Amino acid sequence: MINEELQAYLAGKFSNAEVKPGKQYLEILVQAADLHETAVQLKGVPELSFDYLICLTGVDYPESMQIVYHLESVKHRHMVVLKVNTADRVDPKVDTVSDVWQTAKYHEREVYDLLGVKFNHHTDLRRLFLDDDYGFPLRKDFKDEVRIVER
Amino acid sequence: MSETKEIIITSDKIHTDEYLVNMGPQHPSTHGVLRLLVRLEGEMVHNIQPHVGYIHSGIEKMCEAISYPQVIHLTDRMDYLSAHMNNEAVALCIENALQVEVPERVKYIRTIMDELSRLASHQLWWCVMGMDLGALTTFFYGLRDREHILDIFEETCGARMTLNYSVPGGVMFDIHPNFQKRVKEFIKEFRKKLPEYDQLLTGNVIFQERTNDIGYLSLEDAIAWGVTGPSGRGSGFSCDVRKHQPYSAYPLVQFEEKLATKGDTFTRYRLRMEEMYESLHIIEQLIDNIPEGDYAVKMKGVVKLPEGEFYQRVETARGEFGVYIVSDGKKNPYRVKFRSPGFSNLFALNKMAAGHKIADLVAIMSTLDLVIPDIDR
């Protein structure tokens, strides 16, 4: 499907979500509660079949954490960017999608490690790179007086 | 003389428990500081848990404090064998965000350098793969030929590995007057050397025994685990960004995306060998036709991206590399994320190697072609 068709299709399918054309790719912003169901649909519906999760990451915005999923369909070769904002910035929680796309398991561990986002129902949510008592370095309010020199 | 007593061992008396072995962080076949926690029963691998982060250097955090052109300098410290592709990804991302059109000459130069990097990376992979399986000769052959490419790099931009050649708007210097001559010499020579590679390793019986029918990865698993590059294409996952979202001079050249369906270690090995021929083919189409013109467009002294999010995908030697930049309009990025191919590829290792012997784990890991700073960032 080309982008306009895909946008109309997605807007019809996910009525609670906000579908808009981004600068490069189509973007869907979903409610945190609908995330898992949306992910299942995005992968499962044959017209969409977003089966390849390219990139999963988090961004620390002033009012909430945003988790960003770049998705591609191997069959149809269309792309979409799925986004979800967490309700709380300090103790953010979203549902895991690692049962939908297996690779998300480790990408989510990375996001948990660097941003402190907890993924509900994740089977193995441990830190990936850093020590257990290290803070969450990609947060904007992270302070490390020893290792980071403010210029 | 003391009398020896005969000990009769029956199979039901031999019993092995599952036990854990740390493979790495200082293990030659992990190619860097990677630790694999391997659950073994005898020689059989039951489960592998990769432990990463030994050289996590916080590149993404560092990027938030520096300017956009400086970000490029950090990217070739990640996957140091695909340094030029990583540089190019950031440069393309910035150019797309600012809607800068680079001269044709730059596109040609970048693509030739891409393919030379891919060749150098595959040569190193090939020689190390042989060495991992006990064939030391391959190591000398591979490094010998790689030297020619590194010399060309050195003449072009002064560096042999951390190139920093792509900058926003073009490349840092124009190509050296010798560039075309030397590249053509190299291609001519390497086309003769590649069949030697096959004679030395591919047809070897021991090598065949150790790689054939080992470490299967199905197409479904390859997609689900995001295994890209030659490793994914060995399972039939069509994931070549050069074909699907072409950039630089790739729309102008004819080449094949090599795909196989078997998905075992030997298939992944063959695929990389085939890719070397394709790379040579791409360079041959471009090297005589580099258009005249500027090697860079003039950019502003301080590069500021408009507010928004930008994503750029490129194909490195290991798979799909992505740069995700979130900008708030200031001179340094708000958030940078590097989607590295090694990260996704590594975690499919358990899927491939569980159920095989521990010696096969080395062969399987070799065909994944891991570079650890690429995983840890």
Side-chain angles (χ1 to χ4, degrees), chain A residues 23-25 27 51-52 54-62 66 68 70 72 74 77 79 83 101-103 106-107 110 114 126 128-130 137-140 148, chain B residues 49 51-53 56 60-61 64 66 96 223-226 228 237-239 244-245 307-311 313 320 324 326 334-335 337 339 343-344 347 375-377:
Chain A
K23 278 202 167 72
Q24 288 167 298
Y25 307 114
E27 291 175 7
D51 45 2
Y52 170 31
I54 304 169
C55 179
L56 190 165
T57 190
V59 187
D60 179 12
Y61 287 114
Q66 189 174 68
V68 185
H70 285 79
E72 191 182 27
V74 175
R77 287 290 159 199
M79 271 185 76
K83 290 179 176 177
W101 299 285
Q102 272 88 329
T103 184
Y106 290 92
H107 281 91
E110 188 194 336
L114 301 177
R126 287 176 293 131
L128 190 64
F129 297 131
L130 304 169
L138 281 182
R139 287 194 181 185
K140 291 290 173 187
I148 296 179
Chain B
Q49 272 206 13
H51 282 241
V52 295
H56 175 69
E60 286 168 14
K61 180 75 181 173
E64 290 173 11
I66 58 180
N96 287 348
I223 297 172
W225 287 94
T228 50
F237 177 19
S238 169
C239 55
H244 298 302
Q245 290 192 357
E307 262 182 63
E309 295 154 28
F310 308 95
Y311 191 78
R313 314 160 76 186
E320 179 177 338
Y324 176 62
V326 181
Y334 185 78
R335 168 91 170 91
K337 154 84 183 171
R339 188 266 184 215
F343 186 87
S344 298
F347 294 110
I375 297 163
D376 284 359
R377 281 160 290 136

Coordinates of all heavy atoms in Angstrom, one line a residue, chain A residues 23-25 27 51-52 54-62 66 68 70 72 74 77 79 83 101-103 106-107 110 114 126 128-130 137-140 148, chain B residues 49 51-53 56 60-61 64 66 96 223-226 228 237-239 244-245 307-311 313 320 324 326 334-335 337 339 343-344 347 375-377:
Chain A
K23 N 7.6 13.3 8.9 CA 8.5 13.9 7.9 C 9.0 12.9 6.9 O 9.1 13.2 5.7 CB 9.8 14.5 8.6 CG 9.5 15.9 9.2 CD 10.8 16.6 9.3 CE 10.7 18.1 9.6 NZ 10.2 18.4 11.0
Q24 N 9.2 11.6 7.3 CA 9.7 10.6 6.4 C 8.7 9.5 6.3 O 8.3 9.0 5.2 CB 11.0 10.0 6.9 CG 12.2 11.0 6.7 CD 13.4 10.5 7.5 OE1 13.3 10.3 8.7 NE2 14.4 10.2 6.8
Y25 N 8.2 9.0 7.5 CA 7.4 7.8 7.5 C 6.0 8.2 8.2 O 5.9 9.1 8.9 CB 8.1 6.7 8.3 CG 9.4 6.4 7.8 CD1 10.5 6.6 8.6 CD2 9.7 5.9 6.5 CE1 11.8 6.4 8.2 CE2 10.9 5.6 6.1 CZ 12.0 5.8 6.9 OH 13.3 5.6 6.5
E27 N 3.3 7.9 10.9 CA 3.4 7.7 12.3 C 2.1 7.4 13.0 O 1.1 8.0 12.7 CB 4.0 9.0 13.0 CG 5.4 9.3 12.6 CD 5.9 10.6 13.1 OE1 5.2 11.2 13.9 OE2 7.1 10.9 12.7
D51 N 6.2 -7.3 10.1 CA 6.8 -8.4 10.8 C 8.2 -8.1 11.2 O 8.8 -8.9 11.9 CB 6.7 -9.7 9.9 CG 7.1 -9.5 8.5 OD1 7.4 -8.3 8.1 OD2 7.0 -10.4 7.7
Y52 N 8.8 -7.0 10.7 CA 10.2 -6.8 10.9 C 10.3 -5.5 11.8 O 10.0 -4.4 11.3 CB 10.9 -6.6 9.6 CG 12.4 -6.1 9.6 CD1 13.2 -6.4 10.7 CD2 12.9 -5.4 8.6 CE1 14.5 -5.9 10.7 CE2 14.2 -4.9 8.6 CZ 15.0 -5.2 9.7 OH 16.3 -4.7 9.7
I54 N 12.5 -2.9 13.1 CA 13.9 -2.5 12.7 C 14.6 -1.9 14.0 O 15.7 -2.3 14.3 CB 13.9 -1.4 11.7 CG1 13.1 -1.9 10.5 CG2 15.2 -1.0 11.3 CD1 12.8 -0.8 9.5
C55 N 13.9 -1.1 14.7 CA 14.5 -0.3 15.7 C 13.5 0.0 16.8 O 12.4 0.3 16.5 CB 15.1 1.0 15.1 SG 15.9 2.1 16.2
L56 N 13.9 -0.2 18.0 CA 13.1 0.1 19.2 C 13.9 1.0 20.1 O 15.0 0.7 20.5 CB 12.7 -1.1 19.9 CG 11.6 -1.1 21.0 CD1 11.1 -2.5 21.3 CD2 12.0 -0.5 22.3
T57 N 13.4 2.2 20.4 CA 14.2 3.1 21.3 C 13.2 3.9 22.1 O 12.0 4.0 21.9 CB 15.2 3.9 20.5 OG1 16.0 4.6 21.4 CG2 14.5 4.9 19.6
G58 N 13.8 4.6 23.1 CA 13.1 5.6 23.9 C 13.7 6.9 23.8 O 14.8 7.1 23.6
V59 N 12.8 7.9 24.0 CA 13.2 9.3 24.1 C 12.7 10.0 25.4 O 11.5 9.8 25.7 CB 12.7 10.1 22.8 CG1 13.4 11.5 22.8 CG2 13.1 9.4 21.6
D60 N 13.5 10.7 26.0 CA 13.1 11.3 27.3 C 12.6 12.7 27.0 O 13.4 13.6 26.8 CB 14.3 11.4 28.3 CG 13.9 12.0 29.6 OD1 12.7 12.3 29.8 OD2 14.9 12.3 30.4
Y61 N 11.3 12.9 26.9 CA 10.7 14.3 26.7 C 10.4 14.8 28.1 O 10.2 14.1 29.1 CB 9.5 14.2 25.8 CG 9.8 13.9 24.4 CD1 9.4 12.7 23.8 CD2 10.5 14.9 23.6 CE1 9.7 12.5 22.4 CE2 10.8 14.6 22.3 CZ 10.4 13.5 21.7 OH 10.7 13.2 20.4
P62 N 10.2 16.2 28.2 CA 10.0 16.8 29.5 C 8.8 16.2 30.3 O 8.9 16.0 31.5 CB 9.8 18.2 29.2 CG 10.5 18.5 27.9 CD 10.4 17.2 27.1
Q66 N 8.9 8.6 25.7 CA 8.2 8.1 24.4 C 9.0 6.9 23.9 O 10.2 6.9 23.8 CB 8.2 9.2 23.4 CG 7.4 8.8 22.2 CD 7.2 9.9 21.2 OE1 8.2 10.3 20.6 NE2 6.0 10.5 21.1
V68 N 9.6 4.4 20.8 CA 9.5 4.6 19.3 C 9.8 3.2 18.7 O 10.9 2.7 18.9 CB 10.4 5.7 18.7 CG1 10.1 5.9 17.3 CG2 10.2 7.0 19.5
H70 N 10.2 1.4 15.0 CA 10.3 1.5 13.5 C 10.0 0.1 12.9 O 10.7 -0.8 13.3 CB 11.7 1.9 13.0 CG 11.9 3.4 13.2 ND1 12.3 3.9 14.5 CD2 11.9 4.5 12.4 CE1 12.4 5.2 14.4 NE2 12.2 5.6 13.1
E72 N 8.7 -2.4 9.6 CA 8.7 -2.6 8.2 C 8.0 -3.9 7.9 O 8.1 -4.9 8.7 CB 10.1 -2.6 7.5 CG 10.0 -2.5 6.0 CD 11.4 -2.6 5.4 OE1 12.3 -3.1 5.9 OE2 11.5 -2.0 4.3
V74 N 8.0 -7.0 5.4 CA 8.9 -7.6 4.4 C 8.1 -8.0 3.2 O 8.6 -7.9 2.1 CB 9.5 -8.9 5.0 CG1 10.3 -9.7 4.0 CG2 10.4 -8.6 6.2
R77 N 6.7 -4.2 1.9 CA 7.7 -3.2 1.9 C 7.2 -1.8 2.3 O 7.7 -0.8 1.7 CB 8.4 -3.1 0.5 CG 9.3 -4.3 0.3 CD 10.5 -4.2 1.1 NE 11.1 -5.6 1.2 CZ 12.0 -5.9 2.2 NH1 12.4 -5.1 3.1 NH2 12.5 -7.1 2.2
M79 N 6.5 1.0 5.5 CA 7.1 1.3 6.8 C 6.2 2.1 7.7 O 5.4 2.9 7.1 CB 8.4 2.0 6.7 CG 9.6 1.1 6.6 SD 11.2 2.0 6.6 CE 11.3 2.4 8.3
K83 N 4.4 4.9 18.0 CA 4.9 5.6 19.2 C 3.9 5.5 20.3 O 2.7 5.4 20.1 CB 5.0 7.1 18.8 CG 6.1 7.4 17.9 CD 6.1 8.9 17.6 CE 7.3 9.2 16.7 NZ 7.3 10.7 16.4
W101 N 7.4 -9.4 18.5 CA 8.6 -9.4 17.8 C 9.7 -9.8 18.8 O 10.0 -9.1 19.7 CB 9.0 -8.0 17.2 CG 8.0 -7.5 16.3 CD1 7.8 -7.9 15.0 CD2 7.0 -6.4 16.5 NE1 6.7 -7.1 14.4 CE2 6.2 -6.3 15.4 CE3 6.7 -5.7 17.7 CZ2 5.2 -5.3 15.3 CZ3 5.6 -4.8 17.6 CH2 4.9 -4.6 16.4
Q102 N 10.3 -11.0 18.5 CA 11.3 -11.5 19.5 C 12.5 -10.6 19.8 O 13.0 -10.5 20.9 CB 11.8 -12.9 19.0 CG 11.0 -14.0 19.5 CD 9.9 -14.3 18.4 OE1 9.4 -13.4 17.8 NE2 9.5 -15.6 18.3
T103 N 12.9 -9.9 18.7 CA 14.1 -9.0 18.9 C 13.9 -7.9 19.9 O 14.8 -7.4 20.5 CB 14.5 -8.5 17.5 OG1 15.7 -7.7 17.7 CG2 13.5 -7.6 16.9
Y106 N 15.6 -7.9 23.7 CA 16.8 -7.3 24.0 C 16.8 -5.8 23.8 O 17.5 -5.0 24.5 CB 18.0 -8.0 23.3 CG 18.2 -9.4 23.8 CD1 17.5 -10.5 23.3 CD2 18.9 -9.6 25.0 CE1 17.7 -11.7 23.8 CE2 19.1 -10.8 25.5 CZ 18.4 -11.9 24.9 OH 18.6 -13.2 25.4
H107 N 16.1 -5.3 22.8 CA 16.0 -3.9 22.6 C 15.3 -3.2 23.9 O 15.7 -2.1 24.3 CB 15.2 -3.5 21.4 CG 16.0 -3.7 20.1 ND1 16.1 -4.8 19.4 CD2 16.8 -2.8 19.4 CE1 16.9 -4.7 18.4 NE2 17.3 -3.4 18.3
E110 N 17.7 -2.9 26.7 CA 18.5 -1.8 26.5 C 17.8 -0.5 26.9 O 18.4 0.4 27.6 CB 19.0 -1.7 25.0 CG 20.0 -0.6 24.8 CD 20.3 -0.2 23.3 OE1 20.0 -1.1 22.5 OE2 20.7 0.9 23.1
L114 N 19.1 2.0 29.9 CA 19.5 3.4 29.7 C 18.5 4.5 30.1 O 18.9 5.6 30.3 CB 20.0 3.6 28.2 CG 21.1 2.6 27.8 CD1 21.4 2.8 26.3 CD2 22.3 2.8 28.6
R126 N 16.3 -7.3 32.8 CA 17.5 -7.0 33.6 C 18.2 -6.0 32.9 O 18.0 -5.7 31.7 CB 18.4 -8.3 33.8 CG 17.8 -9.3 34.7 CD 18.7 -10.5 34.7 NE 18.7 -11.2 33.5 CZ 19.8 -11.6 32.8 NH1 21.0 -11.3 33.2 NH2 19.7 -12.2 31.6
L128 N 21.3 -4.4 30.8 CA 22.0 -5.0 29.7 C 23.5 -4.6 29.7 O 24.4 -5.5 29.6 CB 21.4 -4.7 28.4 CG 21.8 -5.4 27.1 CD1 21.5 -6.9 27.3 CD2 21.2 -4.9 25.9
F129 N 23.7 -3.3 29.8 CA 25.1 -2.9 29.7 C 25.7 -2.5 31.0 O 26.9 -2.8 31.3 CB 25.2 -1.6 28.8 CG 24.8 -1.8 27.4 CD1 23.9 -0.9 26.8 CD2 25.3 -2.8 26.6 CE1 23.5 -1.1 25.4 CE2 24.9 -3.0 25.3 CZ 24.0 -2.1 24.7
L130 N 24.9 -1.9 31.9 CA 25.5 -1.2 33.0 C 25.3 -2.0 34.3 O 24.5 -2.9 34.4 CB 24.9 0.2 33.2 CG 25.1 1.1 31.9 CD1 24.2 2.3 32.1 CD2 26.5 1.5 31.7
P137 N 21.4 6.7 32.4 CA 22.2 7.8 31.8 C 21.5 8.6 30.7 O 21.8 9.7 30.5 CB 23.4 7.1 31.3 CG 23.0 5.6 31.2 CD 22.0 5.4 32.2
L138 N 20.6 8.0 30.0 CA 20.0 8.7 28.9 C 18.9 9.6 29.3 O 18.3 10.4 28.5 CB 19.5 7.8 27.7 CG 20.7 7.3 26.8 CD1 20.1 6.4 25.8 CD2 21.5 8.4 26.2
R139 N 18.6 9.6 30.6 CA 17.6 10.6 31.1 C 18.2 12.0 31.1 O 19.4 12.1 31.4 CB 17.1 10.2 32.5 CG 16.2 9.0 32.4 CD 15.4 8.9 33.7 NE 14.6 7.7 33.7 CZ 13.7 7.4 34.7 NH1 13.7 8.1 35.8 NH2 13.0 6.3 34.6
K140 N 17.4 13.0 30.9 CA 18.0 14.3 30.8 C 18.5 14.8 32.1 O 19.3 15.7 32.2 CB 17.0 15.3 30.2 CG 16.7 15.0 28.7 CD 17.8 15.4 27.8 CE 17.6 15.0 26.4 NZ 18.8 15.2 25.6
I148 N 31.2 12.7 34.0 CA 30.7 13.6 33.0 C 31.1 15.0 33.4 O 30.8 15.5 34.5 CB 29.2 13.5 32.8 CG1 28.8 12.2 32.2 CG2 28.8 14.6 31.8 CD1 27.4 11.9 32.0
Chain B
Q49 N 23.6 -17.4 26.7 CA 23.1 -16.1 27.1 C 24.3 -15.1 26.9 O 25.3 -15.2 27.6 CB 22.7 -16.1 28.6 CG 21.3 -16.4 28.8 CD 20.8 -15.8 30.1 OE1 21.4 -15.0 30.7 NE2 19.7 -16.3 30.5
H51 N 26.4 -11.9 27.3 CA 26.5 -10.8 28.3 C 27.3 -9.7 27.6 O 28.5 -9.9 27.3 CB 27.2 -11.2 29.6 CG 26.3 -12.0 30.5 ND1 25.9 -11.5 31.7 CD2 25.6 -13.1 30.3 CE1 25.1 -12.4 32.3 NE2 24.8 -13.3 31.4
V52 N 26.7 -8.5 27.4 CA 27.4 -7.5 26.7 C 27.6 -6.3 27.6 O 27.2 -6.3 28.8 CB 26.6 -7.0 25.4 CG1 26.5 -8.2 24.4 CG2 25.2 -6.6 25.8
G53 N 28.3 -5.3 27.1 CA 28.5 -4.1 27.9 C 29.9 -3.9 28.4 O 30.1 -2.9 29.1
H56 N 30.9 -0.8 26.7 CA 29.9 0.2 26.5 C 30.5 1.6 26.7 O 31.0 1.8 27.8 CB 28.7 0.0 27.4 CG 27.6 1.0 27.3 ND1 26.8 1.2 26.2 CD2 27.2 2.0 28.2 CE1 26.0 2.2 26.4 NE2 26.2 2.7 27.6
E60 N 25.8 7.3 22.6 CA 24.5 8.0 22.4 C 24.4 9.2 23.4 O 23.8 10.2 23.0 CB 23.3 7.0 22.6 CG 23.2 6.1 21.4 CD 22.3 4.9 21.6 OE1 21.5 5.0 22.6 OE2 22.3 4.0 20.8
K61 N 24.9 9.0 24.6 CA 24.8 10.1 25.6 C 25.8 11.2 25.2 O 25.5 12.4 25.3 CB 25.2 9.5 27.0 CG 25.2 10.6 28.1 CD 23.8 11.0 28.5 CE 23.7 12.0 29.6 NZ 22.4 12.5 29.8
E64 N 24.7 13.8 22.6 CA 23.8 14.8 23.1 C 24.5 16.1 23.4 O 23.9 17.2 23.6 CB 22.9 14.3 24.2 CG 21.9 13.3 23.8 CD 21.1 12.7 24.9 OE1 21.2 13.2 26.1 OE2 20.4 11.7 24.7
I66 N 27.4 17.1 21.8 CA 28.3 17.6 20.8 C 27.5 18.0 19.5 O 26.4 17.7 19.4 CB 29.4 16.6 20.4 CG1 28.8 15.3 20.0 CG2 30.4 16.4 21.6 CD1 29.7 14.2 19.6
N96 N 19.4 14.9 4.6 CA 18.0 14.8 4.4 C 17.2 15.8 5.2 O 16.2 16.4 4.8 CB 17.5 13.4 4.7 CG 18.0 12.4 3.6 OD1 18.4 12.8 2.5 ND2 17.8 11.1 3.9
I223 N 13.6 -12.9 10.5 CA 12.8 -11.7 10.5 C 12.4 -11.3 11.9 O 12.6 -10.2 12.3 CB 11.5 -11.9 9.6 CG1 11.9 -12.1 8.2 CG2 10.6 -10.6 9.7 CD1 10.7 -12.5 7.3
A224 N 12.0 -12.3 12.7 CA 11.5 -12.0 14.1 C 12.7 -11.5 14.9 O 12.5 -10.6 15.8 CB 10.9 -13.3 14.7
W225 N 13.9 -12.0 14.7 CA 15.0 -11.5 15.5 C 15.7 -10.4 14.8 O 16.8 -9.9 15.3 CB 16.0 -12.7 15.8 CG 15.5 -13.6 16.8 CD1 14.8 -14.8 16.5 CD2 15.5 -13.5 18.2 NE1 14.4 -15.4 17.7 CE2 14.9 -14.6 18.7 CE3 16.1 -12.6 19.1 CZ2 14.8 -14.8 20.1 CZ3 16.0 -12.8 20.4 CH2 15.3 -13.9 20.9
G226 N 15.3 -9.9 13.7 CA 15.9 -8.8 13.0 C 17.3 -9.1 12.5 O 18.1 -8.2 12.6
T228 N 19.9 -9.1 10.0 CA 20.0 -8.5 8.7 C 21.4 -8.8 8.1 O 22.2 -9.5 8.7 CB 19.8 -7.0 8.7 OG1 20.6 -6.5 9.8 CG2 18.3 -6.7 9.0
F237 N 15.9 -13.8 3.8 CA 15.3 -12.6 4.3 C 15.9 -11.5 3.4 O 17.0 -11.1 3.5 CB 15.7 -12.3 5.7 CG 15.2 -11.0 6.3 CD1 14.1 -10.3 5.7 CD2 15.7 -10.6 7.5 CE1 13.7 -9.1 6.3 CE2 15.2 -9.4 8.1 CZ 14.3 -8.6 7.4
S238 N 15.0 -11.0 2.5 CA 15.5 -9.9 1.6 C 15.5 -8.6 2.3 O 14.5 -8.0 2.6 CB 14.5 -9.8 0.4 OG 14.7 -8.7 -0.3
C239 N 16.7 -8.2 2.7 CA 16.8 -7.0 3.7 C 17.9 -6.1 3.2 O 18.4 -5.3 4.0 CB 17.1 -7.6 5.1 SG 18.6 -8.6 5.1
H244 N 16.3 -1.8 -1.4 CA 14.9 -1.4 -1.0 C 14.7 0.1 -0.7 O 13.7 0.6 -1.0 CB 14.5 -2.2 0.3 CG 14.4 -3.7 0.0 ND1 13.6 -4.2 -1.0 CD2 15.1 -4.7 0.5 CE1 13.8 -5.5 -1.0 NE2 14.7 -5.9 -0.1
Q245 N 15.7 0.7 -0.2 CA 15.7 2.2 0.0 C 17.0 2.7 -0.5 O 17.8 3.1 0.3 CB 15.4 2.5 1.4 CG 14.0 2.2 1.9 CD 13.6 2.8 3.2 OE1 14.4 3.5 3.8 NE2 12.4 2.6 3.5
E307 N 13.4 21.2 13.8 CA 12.8 20.4 14.8 C 12.1 19.1 14.2 O 11.5 19.3 13.1 CB 11.7 21.2 15.6 CG 12.2 21.7 16.9 CD 11.1 22.5 17.6 OE1 10.1 21.8 18.0 OE2 11.2 23.7 17.8
G308 N 12.3 18.0 14.8 CA 11.6 16.8 14.3 C 12.5 15.6 14.5 O 13.5 15.7 15.1
E309 N 12.0 14.5 13.8 CA 12.7 13.3 14.0 C 13.2 12.8 12.6 O 12.4 12.9 11.6 CB 11.8 12.2 14.6 CG 11.5 12.5 16.0 CD 10.2 11.9 16.4 OE1 9.8 10.9 15.9 OE2 9.5 12.5 17.3
F310 N 14.4 12.2 12.5 CA 14.9 11.8 11.2 C 15.5 10.4 11.4 O 16.2 10.1 12.4 CB 16.0 12.8 10.7 CG 15.5 14.2 10.7 CD1 15.7 15.0 11.8 CD2 14.7 14.7 9.7 CE1 15.2 16.3 11.8 CE2 14.2 15.9 9.7 CZ 14.4 16.8 10.8
Y311 N 15.3 9.6 10.4 CA 15.8 8.2 10.4 C 16.4 7.9 9.1 O 15.9 8.2 8.1 CB 14.7 7.2 10.8 CG 15.2 5.8 11.1 CD1 15.7 5.6 12.3 CD2 15.2 4.8 10.1 CE1 16.2 4.3 12.6 CE2 15.7 3.6 10.4 CZ 16.2 3.3 11.7 OH 16.7 2.1 12.0
R313 N 18.6 4.8 7.0 CA 19.1 3.4 7.0 C 20.2 3.3 6.0 O 20.0 3.9 4.9 CB 18.0 2.5 6.6 CG 16.7 2.7 7.4 CD 15.5 2.1 6.6 NE 15.5 0.6 6.9 CZ 14.6 -0.2 6.2 NH1 13.8 0.3 5.3 NH2 14.6 -1.5 6.5
E320 N 21.8 -4.0 8.5 CA 21.2 -2.7 8.4 C 21.6 -1.8 9.6 O 21.5 -2.2 10.8 CB 19.7 -2.9 8.4 CG 19.0 -1.5 8.4 CD 17.5 -1.7 8.3 OE1 17.0 -2.7 7.9 OE2 16.8 -0.7 8.7
Y324 N 18.9 7.4 14.2 CA 17.6 8.0 14.6 C 18.0 9.3 15.3 O 18.6 9.2 16.4 CB 16.8 7.1 15.4 CG 15.5 7.7 15.9 CD1 14.5 8.1 15.1 CD2 15.2 7.7 17.3 CE1 13.3 8.6 15.5 CE2 14.0 8.3 17.8 CZ 13.1 8.7 16.9 OH 11.9 9.2 17.4
V326 N 16.7 12.8 17.0 CA 15.6 13.7 17.4 C 16.2 15.1 17.6 O 17.1 15.2 18.4 CB 14.9 13.2 18.7 CG1 13.8 14.1 19.1 CG2 14.4 11.8 18.6
Y334 N 19.0 16.3 20.3 CA 18.3 16.1 21.5 C 18.4 14.6 21.9 O 18.6 14.3 23.1 CB 16.8 16.4 21.4 CG 16.0 16.3 22.6 CD1 16.0 17.3 23.6 CD2 15.1 15.2 22.8 CE1 15.3 17.2 24.8 CE2 14.4 15.1 24.0 CZ 14.5 16.1 24.9 OH 13.7 16.0 26.1
R335 N 18.4 13.7 21.0 CA 18.6 12.3 21.2 C 19.1 11.7 19.9 O 18.6 12.0 18.8 CB 17.2 11.7 21.6 CG 17.2 10.2 21.7 CD 17.5 9.7 23.0 NE 17.2 8.2 23.2 CZ 18.1 7.3 22.9 NH1 19.3 7.6 22.5 NH2 17.8 6.0 23.0
K337 N 20.0 7.8 18.4 CA 20.0 6.3 18.6 C 20.6 5.7 17.4 O 20.3 6.0 16.2 CB 18.6 5.8 18.8 CG 18.3 4.4 18.5 CD 18.6 3.5 19.6 CE 18.4 2.0 19.1 NZ 18.9 1.0 20.1
R339 N 20.9 2.2 15.5 CA 20.5 0.9 15.4 C 21.6 0.1 14.7 O 21.8 0.2 13.5 CB 19.2 0.8 14.5 CG 18.5 -0.5 14.4 CD 18.9 -1.4 13.3 NE 18.1 -2.6 13.3 CZ 18.6 -3.8 12.9 NH1 19.8 -3.9 12.5 NH2 17.8 -4.8 12.9
F343 N 23.9 -5.8 17.1 CA 23.1 -6.0 18.3 C 22.0 -7.0 18.1 O 21.8 -7.9 18.8 CB 22.5 -4.6 18.7 CG 21.8 -4.6 20.0 CD1 22.4 -4.4 21.2 CD2 20.4 -4.8 20.0 CE1 21.7 -4.4 22.4 CE2 19.7 -4.8 21.2 CZ 20.4 -4.6 22.4
S344 N 21.2 -6.8 17.0 CA 20.1 -7.7 16.7 C 20.7 -9.1 16.3 O 20.1 -10.1 16.7 CB 19.3 -7.1 15.6 OG 18.7 -5.9 16.0
F347 N 21.8 -11.6 19.3 CA 20.8 -12.3 20.1 C 20.1 -13.4 19.4 O 19.3 -14.1 20.1 CB 19.9 -11.3 20.8 CG 20.7 -10.3 21.7 CD1 20.9 -9.0 21.4 CD2 21.2 -10.8 22.9 CE1 21.6 -8.2 22.2 CE2 21.9 -10.0 23.7 CZ 22.1 -8.7 23.4
I375 N 28.0 -3.6 19.0 CA 26.9 -4.1 19.9 C 26.8 -3.2 21.1 O 25.7 -2.8 21.5 CB 27.2 -5.5 20.3 CG1 27.2 -6.4 19.0 CG2 26.2 -6.0 21.3 CD1 27.9 -7.7 19.3
D376 N 28.0 -2.9 21.7 CA 27.9 -2.2 23.0 C 27.7 -0.7 22.9 O 27.1 0.0 23.7 CB 29.3 -2.4 23.7 CG 29.3 -3.8 24.3 OD1 28.4 -4.5 24.2 OD2 30.4 -4.1 24.9
R377 N 28.3 -0.1 21.8 CA 28.2 1.3 21.6 C 28.6 2.1 22.8 O 27.8 2.8 23.5 CB 26.8 1.7 21.1 CG 26.6 1.4 19.6 CD 25.2 1.4 19.3 NE 24.6 0.2 19.9 CZ 23.4 0.2 20.5 NH1 22.7 1.3 20.6 NH2 22.9 -0.9 21.0

